[in-house]
Amino acid sequence: MAGTSDIEKAADVLRAGGLVALPTETVYGLGANAEDPVAVSRTFQVKGRPPSHPLIVHIGGAELLDDWVQEVPARARLLAEHFWPGPLTLVLRRGRRVPLEATGGLETVAVRVPDHPVALALLSAFGGGVTAPSANRFGSVSPTTADDVRAELGDAVDFVLDGGPCEVGVESTIVDATGDIPTILRPGGVTREDLESVLGCPLAVPASSRIRVPGQHPSHYAPHAQVVLVQPEKVVTEAELAQELGHRVGAFLPAAFGDAEVKAHAVVRVPDSMAAYARGLYGFLRELDQRGCDIIVASLPAEAGLGLAIANRLRRAAGPRAAA
């Protein structure tokens, strides 16, 4: 676990225009000084990320929000008060401190306060905002451990802060808070049900939006293996058929199957708890890649609670060929 000297060194790297991989409760981020256009641009280069895709600015507390945006509507402030620090990102009007390089050229900015002691300590020591997209190549599986970052990005990162495994495991929920009624642009670690409970109104989750946000690419969060989505009752049949056809199949076996045997190259038994599933999702995908699978057969969970975020990630991992 990163100590005080590591955090001070990381803050110095950020001040010098370098890149720091930092832990959050969701995934590890590739951090840069949010006010340094050159450092922010280097983030895009290292990830291979299109510069039109906006980044999330991480700040040290809800009380700092007004420093980074033009205005904070009452509903946005209510969400910040309830869910920060935590896996919620608010999209608001860009303040002057935020360069267009960080927003993909948009006049809106995505902001959040991470709920991880190492991330918060770094933000405090640094004294500014940090853009931190997931610390992986664009479109691939997000990292949830420091080792994942090192394996994926290697020396392209100037410093890696090890904060242990991420507790949530899927990215933050992104909410467009610029309008009268907030809209969920990306499901994530804060559930739609919890947001609706606080706001007292239903929230839409549109398939696309006028505001570009992370995770909207047709193929995202994807392993090297092809992800095939089927109905839950067909996972075993489809996995075994693909194995018979000569593929090295990895199967995500739903909890309802218990200890059932599957004739596949590798099997991941999906936790019954959606929190445990979300926490382990990216690790499961990486494991099946590392075991040499070329096809992963999975089904979507019920789209309630964290199941909505898991289903979103699996659909993006499957890409345009997603069948379910």
Side-chain angles (χ1 to χ4, degrees):
M1 182 74 72
T4 302
S5 61
D6 295 319
I7 289 166
E8 290 295 341
K9 181 176 179 179
D12 288 340
V13 170
L14 291 173
R15 294 186 190 101
L19 301 183
V20 173
L22 65 145
T24 75
E25 77 281 22
T26 58
V27 300
Y28 273 72
L30 183 61
N33 179 355
E35 297 179 80
D36 183 342
V38 174
V40 170
S41 295
R42 187 178 162 212
T43 303
F44 287 95
Q45 295 166 6
V46 167
K47 283 179 60 69
R49 181 187 181 107
S52 60
H53 282 237
L55 306 178
I56 296 173
V57 176
H58 294 65
I59 60 176
E63 70 278 3
L64 303 173
L65 182 58
D66 293 280
D67 295 342
W68 296 91
V69 302
Q70 288 186 28
E71 59 181 339
V72 185
R75 282 188 165 126
R77 202 172 295 280
L78 180 63
L79 291 175
E81 290 171 355
H82 274 80
F83 296 108
W84 283 358
L88 174 69
T89 294
L90 297 176
V91 175
L92 296 161
R93 303 293 178 190
R94 178 179 71 97
R96 288 182 295 178
R97 292 182 69 174
V98 184
L100 287 172
E101 286 81 357
T103 68
L106 299 177
E107 287 301 330
T108 53
V109 61
V111 185
R112 89 174 185 100
V113 180
D115 188 15
H116 193 291
V118 173
L120 291 172
L122 174 60
L123 288 164
S124 177
F126 175 58
V130 174
T131 54
S134 56
N136 57 281
R137 303 294 178 187
F138 179 70
S140 65
V141 179
S142 301
T144 54
T145 69
D147 285 343
D148 291 343
V149 177
R150 296 185 184 101
E152 179 114 2
L153 297 181
D155 294 338
V157 183
D158 299 307
F159 194 72
V160 177
L161 279 174
D162 191 341
C166 298
E167 287 296 317
V168 175
V170 293
E171 290 82 356
S172 61
T173 303
I174 300 179
V175 171
D176 175 10
T178 60
D180 292 335
I181 303 296
T183 301
I184 297 174
L185 303 184
R186 179 182 73 181
V190 172
T191 68
R192 174 171 56 184
E193 292 85 351
D194 285 343
L195 293 168
E196 291 176 341
S197 176
V198 168
L199 292 175
C201 63
L203 298 185
V205 188
S208 61
S209 71
R210 60 184 175 81
I211 297 177
R212 297 189 303 275
V213 295
Q216 285 184 323
H217 194 266
S219 179
H220 217 95
Y221 317 114
H224 296 297
Q226 176 189 349
V227 176
V228 176
L229 299 178
V230 300
Q231 295 300 316
E233 66 275 11
K234 295 182 179 179
V235 168
V236 172
T237 302
E238 294 295 330
E240 293 185 340
L241 176 60
Q243 188 75 20
E244 289 175 5
L245 292 174
H247 292 285
R248 295 167 67 88
V249 177
F252 271 28
L253 193 66
F257 282 86
D259 296 328
E261 293 297 321
V262 185
K263 296 176 182 177
H265 179 68
V267 176
V268 167
R269 297 185 185 277
V270 174
D272 191 37
S273 159
M274 287 297 101
Y277 191 2
R279 187 163 52 248
L281 175 62
Y282 293 143
F284 299 153
L285 292 172
R286 286 179 180 274
E287 175 191 343
L288 295 183
D289 261 350
Q290 291 164 3
R291 295 181 66 176
C293 297
D294 63 348
I295 286 181
I296 297 172
V297 178
S299 62
L300 300 179
E303 297 188 29
L306 282 173
L308 179 62
I310 296 167
N312 171 269
R313 301 312 189 270
L314 286 172
R315 283 198 180 95
R316 298 292 181 178
R321 292 174 293 186

mmCIF file of all heavy atoms in Angstrom, residues 47-74:
data_model
loop_
_atom_site.group_PDB
_atom_site.id
_atom_site.type_symbol
_atom_site.label_atom_id
_atom_site.label_comp_id
_atom_site.label_asym_id
_atom_site.label_seq_id
_atom_site.Cartn_x
_atom_site.Cartn_y
_atom_site.Cartn_z
ATOM 1 N N LYS A 47 -2.800 6.124 -23.850
ATOM 2 C CA LYS A 47 -3.930 5.203 -23.922
ATOM 3 C C LYS A 47 -4.297 4.838 -25.360
ATOM 4 O O LYS A 47 -4.971 3.833 -25.589
ATOM 5 C CB LYS A 47 -5.167 5.822 -23.245
ATOM 6 C CG LYS A 47 -5.128 5.788 -21.737
ATOM 7 C CD LYS A 47 -6.371 6.433 -21.132
ATOM 8 C CE LYS A 47 -7.653 5.738 -21.537
ATOM 9 N NZ LYS A 47 -7.816 4.384 -20.956
ATOM 10 N N GLY A 48 -3.889 5.674 -26.327
ATOM 11 C CA GLY A 48 -4.390 5.493 -27.683
ATOM 12 C C GLY A 48 -5.846 5.895 -27.784
ATOM 13 O O GLY A 48 -6.609 5.361 -28.582
ATOM 14 N N ARG A 49 -6.229 6.868 -26.972
ATOM 15 C CA ARG A 49 -7.628 7.301 -26.859
ATOM 16 C C ARG A 49 -7.881 8.465 -27.812
ATOM 17 O O ARG A 49 -7.085 9.409 -27.871
ATOM 18 C CB ARG A 49 -7.884 7.738 -25.412
ATOM 19 C CG ARG A 49 -9.304 8.196 -25.075
ATOM 20 C CD ARG A 49 -9.307 8.753 -23.661
ATOM 21 N NE ARG A 49 -10.611 9.201 -23.193
ATOM 22 C CZ ARG A 49 -11.340 8.553 -22.304
ATOM 23 N NH1 ARG A 49 -10.909 7.418 -21.781
ATOM 24 N NH2 ARG A 49 -12.497 9.035 -21.900
ATOM 25 N N PRO A 50 -8.973 8.454 -28.559
ATOM 26 C CA PRO A 50 -9.289 9.587 -29.427
ATOM 27 C C PRO A 50 -9.425 10.875 -28.607
ATOM 28 O O PRO A 50 -10.063 10.872 -27.551
ATOM 29 C CB PRO A 50 -10.635 9.196 -30.048
ATOM 30 C CG PRO A 50 -10.689 7.708 -29.936
ATOM 31 C CD PRO A 50 -9.971 7.370 -28.673
ATOM 32 N N PRO A 51 -8.832 11.982 -29.060
ATOM 33 C CA PRO A 51 -8.879 13.224 -28.279
ATOM 34 C C PRO A 51 -10.271 13.807 -28.131
ATOM 35 O O PRO A 51 -10.478 14.719 -27.313
ATOM 36 C CB PRO A 51 -7.952 14.167 -29.059
ATOM 37 C CG PRO A 51 -7.882 13.602 -30.437
ATOM 38 C CD PRO A 51 -8.018 12.122 -30.288
ATOM 39 N N SER A 52 -11.235 13.302 -28.897
ATOM 40 C CA SER A 52 -12.614 13.786 -28.775
ATOM 41 C C SER A 52 -13.346 13.160 -27.587
ATOM 42 O O SER A 52 -14.463 13.588 -27.266
ATOM 43 C CB SER A 52 -13.395 13.484 -30.062
ATOM 44 O OG SER A 52 -13.426 12.089 -30.318
ATOM 45 N N HIS A 53 -12.730 12.164 -26.937
ATOM 46 C CA HIS A 53 -13.374 11.514 -25.807
ATOM 47 C C HIS A 53 -13.002 12.241 -24.520
ATOM 48 O O HIS A 53 -11.836 12.247 -24.117
ATOM 49 C CB HIS A 53 -12.932 10.047 -25.716
ATOM 50 C CG HIS A 53 -13.628 9.164 -26.705
ATOM 51 N ND1 HIS A 53 -14.355 8.048 -26.351
ATOM 52 C CD2 HIS A 53 -13.727 9.243 -28.053
ATOM 53 C CE1 HIS A 53 -14.857 7.487 -27.434
ATOM 54 N NE2 HIS A 53 -14.490 8.185 -28.478
ATOM 55 N N PRO A 54 -13.974 12.848 -23.836
ATOM 56 C CA PRO A 54 -13.667 13.645 -22.642
ATOM 57 C C PRO A 54 -13.158 12.799 -21.484
ATOM 58 O O PRO A 54 -13.392 11.585 -21.416
ATOM 59 C CB PRO A 54 -15.005 14.301 -22.299
ATOM 60 C CG PRO A 54 -16.036 13.412 -22.922
ATOM 61 C CD PRO A 54 -15.407 12.833 -24.155
ATOM 62 N N LEU A 55 -12.457 13.461 -20.580
ATOM 63 C CA LEU A 55 -11.920 12.829 -19.382
ATOM 64 C C LEU A 55 -12.706 13.300 -18.161
ATOM 65 O O LEU A 55 -13.394 14.323 -18.209
ATOM 66 C CB LEU A 55 -10.444 13.190 -19.204
ATOM 67 C CG LEU A 55 -9.521 12.904 -20.388
ATOM 68 C CD1 LEU A 55 -8.094 13.371 -20.054
ATOM 69 C CD2 LEU A 55 -9.532 11.437 -20.746
ATOM 70 N N ILE A 56 -12.584 12.563 -17.063
ATOM 71 C CA ILE A 56 -13.201 12.951 -15.798
ATOM 72 C C ILE A 56 -12.158 13.670 -14.946
ATOM 73 O O ILE A 56 -11.036 13.180 -14.776
ATOM 74 C CB ILE A 56 -13.749 11.725 -15.052
ATOM 75 C CG1 ILE A 56 -14.877 11.078 -15.859
ATOM 76 C CG2 ILE A 56 -14.246 12.111 -13.652
ATOM 77 C CD1 ILE A 56 -15.373 9.754 -15.289
ATOM 78 N N VAL A 57 -12.527 14.826 -14.412
ATOM 79 C CA VAL A 57 -11.658 15.558 -13.501
ATOM 80 C C VAL A 57 -11.972 15.120 -12.069
ATOM 81 O O VAL A 57 -13.122 15.228 -11.620
ATOM 82 C CB VAL A 57 -11.849 17.083 -13.648
ATOM 83 C CG1 VAL A 57 -11.007 17.826 -12.616
ATOM 84 C CG2 VAL A 57 -11.475 17.536 -15.059
ATOM 85 N N HIS A 58 -10.967 14.619 -11.384
ATOM 86 C CA HIS A 58 -11.120 14.183 -9.998
ATOM 87 C C HIS A 58 -10.675 15.307 -9.071
ATOM 88 O O HIS A 58 -9.578 15.875 -9.249
ATOM 89 C CB HIS A 58 -10.282 12.932 -9.733
ATOM 90 C CG HIS A 58 -10.754 11.726 -10.511
ATOM 91 N ND1 HIS A 58 -10.696 11.666 -11.885
ATOM 92 C CD2 HIS A 58 -11.292 10.553 -10.095
ATOM 93 C CE1 HIS A 58 -11.183 10.505 -12.289
ATOM 94 N NE2 HIS A 58 -11.554 9.811 -11.233
ATOM 95 N N ILE A 59 -11.514 15.636 -8.104
ATOM 96 C CA ILE A 59 -11.207 16.704 -7.144
ATOM 97 C C ILE A 59 -11.287 16.142 -5.727
ATOM 98 O O ILE A 59 -11.798 15.044 -5.507
ATOM 99 C CB ILE A 59 -12.150 17.914 -7.313
ATOM 100 C CG1 ILE A 59 -13.614 17.507 -7.094
ATOM 101 C CG2 ILE A 59 -11.968 18.521 -8.703
ATOM 102 C CD1 ILE A 59 -14.597 18.684 -7.160
ATOM 103 N N GLY A 60 -10.771 16.922 -4.763
ATOM 104 C CA GLY A 60 -10.610 16.410 -3.410
ATOM 105 C C GLY A 60 -11.808 16.499 -2.505
ATOM 106 O O GLY A 60 -11.796 15.931 -1.406
ATOM 107 N N GLY A 61 -12.882 17.186 -2.911
ATOM 108 C CA GLY A 61 -14.059 17.291 -2.058
ATOM 109 C C GLY A 61 -15.172 18.047 -2.745
ATOM 110 O O GLY A 61 -14.930 18.838 -3.669
ATOM 111 N N ALA A 62 -16.408 17.811 -2.294
ATOM 112 C CA ALA A 62 -17.562 18.469 -2.904
ATOM 113 C C ALA A 62 -17.499 19.979 -2.762
ATOM 114 O O ALA A 62 -18.018 20.718 -3.608
ATOM 115 C CB ALA A 62 -18.850 17.928 -2.268
ATOM 116 N N GLU A 63 -16.821 20.463 -1.724
ATOM 117 C CA GLU A 63 -16.722 21.908 -1.499
ATOM 118 C C GLU A 63 -15.893 22.605 -2.574
ATOM 119 O O GLU A 63 -15.924 23.841 -2.694
ATOM 120 C CB GLU A 63 -16.126 22.189 -0.110
ATOM 121 C CG GLU A 63 -14.656 21.839 0.055
ATOM 122 C CD GLU A 63 -14.405 20.365 0.333
ATOM 123 O OE1 GLU A 63 -15.380 19.586 0.343
ATOM 124 O OE2 GLU A 63 -13.225 20.005 0.547
ATOM 125 N N LEU A 64 -15.153 21.828 -3.370
ATOM 126 C CA LEU A 64 -14.310 22.392 -4.428
ATOM 127 C C LEU A 64 -15.015 22.447 -5.776
ATOM 128 O O LEU A 64 -14.452 22.958 -6.753
ATOM 129 C CB LEU A 64 -13.023 21.569 -4.568
ATOM 130 C CG LEU A 64 -12.163 21.427 -3.312
ATOM 131 C CD1 LEU A 64 -11.013 20.453 -3.566
ATOM 132 C CD2 LEU A 64 -11.635 22.778 -2.879
ATOM 133 N N LEU A 65 -16.218 21.940 -5.857
ATOM 134 C CA LEU A 65 -16.896 21.804 -7.143
ATOM 135 C C LEU A 65 -17.033 23.138 -7.860
ATOM 136 O O LEU A 65 -16.817 23.238 -9.073
ATOM 137 C CB LEU A 65 -18.273 21.162 -6.936
ATOM 138 C CG LEU A 65 -19.112 20.903 -8.191
ATOM 139 C CD1 LEU A 65 -18.363 20.011 -9.177
ATOM 140 C CD2 LEU A 65 -20.448 20.271 -7.810
ATOM 141 N N ASP A 66 -17.366 24.199 -7.121
ATOM 142 C CA ASP A 66 -17.578 25.508 -7.745
ATOM 143 C C ASP A 66 -16.312 26.066 -8.378
ATOM 144 O O ASP A 66 -16.389 26.967 -9.222
ATOM 145 C CB ASP A 66 -18.113 26.501 -6.710
ATOM 146 C CG ASP A 66 -19.513 26.142 -6.249
ATOM 147 O OD1 ASP A 66 -20.476 26.457 -6.974
ATOM 148 O OD2 ASP A 66 -19.647 25.518 -5.184
ATOM 149 N N ASP A 67 -15.146 25.544 -7.989
ATOM 150 C CA ASP A 67 -13.885 26.000 -8.581
ATOM 151 C C ASP A 67 -13.692 25.474 -10.002
ATOM 152 O O ASP A 67 -12.850 25.992 -10.746
ATOM 153 C CB ASP A 67 -12.694 25.546 -7.733
ATOM 154 C CG ASP A 67 -12.674 26.178 -6.355
ATOM 155 O OD1 ASP A 67 -13.360 27.210 -6.164
ATOM 156 O OD2 ASP A 67 -11.983 25.638 -5.473
ATOM 157 N N TRP A 68 -14.455 24.445 -10.380
ATOM 158 C CA TRP A 68 -14.200 23.759 -11.637
ATOM 159 C C TRP A 68 -15.335 23.860 -12.641
ATOM 160 O O TRP A 68 -15.161 23.479 -13.812
ATOM 161 C CB TRP A 68 -13.900 22.278 -11.351
ATOM 162 C CG TRP A 68 -12.645 22.120 -10.550
ATOM 163 C CD1 TRP A 68 -12.525 22.068 -9.181
ATOM 164 C CD2 TRP A 68 -11.317 22.059 -11.061
ATOM 165 N NE1 TRP A 68 -11.209 21.971 -8.822
ATOM 166 C CE2 TRP A 68 -10.444 21.952 -9.946
ATOM 167 C CE3 TRP A 68 -10.776 22.052 -12.347
ATOM 168 C CZ2 TRP A 68 -9.054 21.866 -10.095
ATOM 169 C CZ3 TRP A 68 -9.406 21.968 -12.496
ATOM 170 C CH2 TRP A 68 -8.559 21.873 -11.370
ATOM 171 N N VAL A 69 -16.492 24.346 -12.220
ATOM 172 C CA VAL A 69 -17.650 24.435 -13.117
ATOM 173 C C VAL A 69 -18.248 25.832 -13.029
ATOM 174 O O VAL A 69 -17.975 26.597 -12.091
ATOM 175 C CB VAL A 69 -18.719 23.382 -12.764
ATOM 176 C CG1 VAL A 69 -18.123 21.980 -12.829
ATOM 177 C CG2 VAL A 69 -19.326 23.639 -11.400
ATOM 178 N N GLN A 70 -19.091 26.161 -14.016
ATOM 179 C CA GLN A 70 -19.682 27.493 -14.060
ATOM 180 C C GLN A 70 -20.816 27.657 -13.057
ATOM 181 O O GLN A 70 -20.959 28.694 -12.419
ATOM 182 C CB GLN A 70 -20.206 27.780 -15.466
ATOM 183 C CG GLN A 70 -19.132 28.015 -16.510
ATOM 184 C CD GLN A 70 -19.728 28.425 -17.836
ATOM 185 O OE1 GLN A 70 -20.806 29.027 -17.902
ATOM 186 N NE2 GLN A 70 -19.037 28.095 -18.921
ATOM 187 N N GLU A 71 -21.648 26.628 -12.953
ATOM 188 C CA GLU A 71 -22.783 26.690 -12.040
ATOM 189 C C GLU A 71 -23.142 25.274 -11.589
ATOM 190 O O GLU A 71 -22.855 24.301 -12.287
ATOM 191 C CB GLU A 71 -23.992 27.345 -12.713
ATOM 192 C CG GLU A 71 -24.460 26.612 -13.964
ATOM 193 C CD GLU A 71 -25.645 27.287 -14.629
ATOM 194 O OE1 GLU A 71 -26.343 28.056 -13.943
ATOM 195 O OE2 GLU A 71 -25.889 27.027 -15.821
ATOM 196 N N VAL A 72 -23.752 25.193 -10.424
ATOM 197 C CA VAL A 72 -24.141 23.902 -9.874
ATOM 198 C C VAL A 72 -25.634 23.946 -9.576
ATOM 199 O O VAL A 72 -26.062 24.527 -8.578
ATOM 200 C CB VAL A 72 -23.357 23.562 -8.594
ATOM 201 C CG1 VAL A 72 -23.718 22.149 -8.129
ATOM 202 C CG2 VAL A 72 -21.862 23.695 -8.810
ATOM 203 N N PRO A 73 -26.469 23.349 -10.433
ATOM 204 C CA PRO A 73 -27.913 23.305 -10.159
ATOM 205 C C PRO A 73 -28.195 22.607 -8.833
ATOM 206 O O PRO A 73 -27.395 21.799 -8.345
ATOM 207 C CB PRO A 73 -28.465 22.502 -11.342
ATOM 208 C CG PRO A 73 -27.443 22.653 -12.426
ATOM 209 C CD PRO A 73 -26.129 22.724 -11.717
ATOM 210 N N ALA A 74 -29.344 22.916 -8.260
ATOM 211 C CA ALA A 74 -29.683 22.393 -6.937
ATOM 212 C C ALA A 74 -29.660 20.866 -6.910
ATOM 213 O O ALA A 74 -29.178 20.257 -5.942
ATOM 214 C CB ALA A 74 -31.064 22.904 -6.520
#
